Amino acid sequence: MKKLELKFLNEEGRTVTISLDEPIEPADPVAINAAMDAILAENCFYSSGGDLVEKKEARIVERNVFDVEL
């Protein structure tokens, strides 16, 4: 499963990640940048280290799980 991870810095300088399942690909950097700007402007998420204050990065992460029979 793939996830779009939006990473921000909070007031303590710690990284806060917002993950979204099944992102549309190819990723649209302009749309992602605008969404991250809107999240910061609306201050709609809270973290234990305070408000989100800065964009850090965005990335698509894919995780593969393979069961091992025991």
Side-chain angles (χ1 to χ4, degrees), residues 43-61:
N43 196 24
C44 53
F45 290 99
Y46 174 78
S47 76
S48 60
D51 293 339
L52 306 182
V53 295
E54 183 179 330
K55 293 180 285 186
K56 182 176 179 185
E57 68 178 325
R59 64 186 185 179
I60 293 176
V61 176

Side-chain angles (χ1 to χ4, degrees), residues 35-45:
M36 293 178 82
D37 285 341
I39 289 169
L40 290 175
E42 296 296 326
N43 196 24
C44 53
F45 290 99

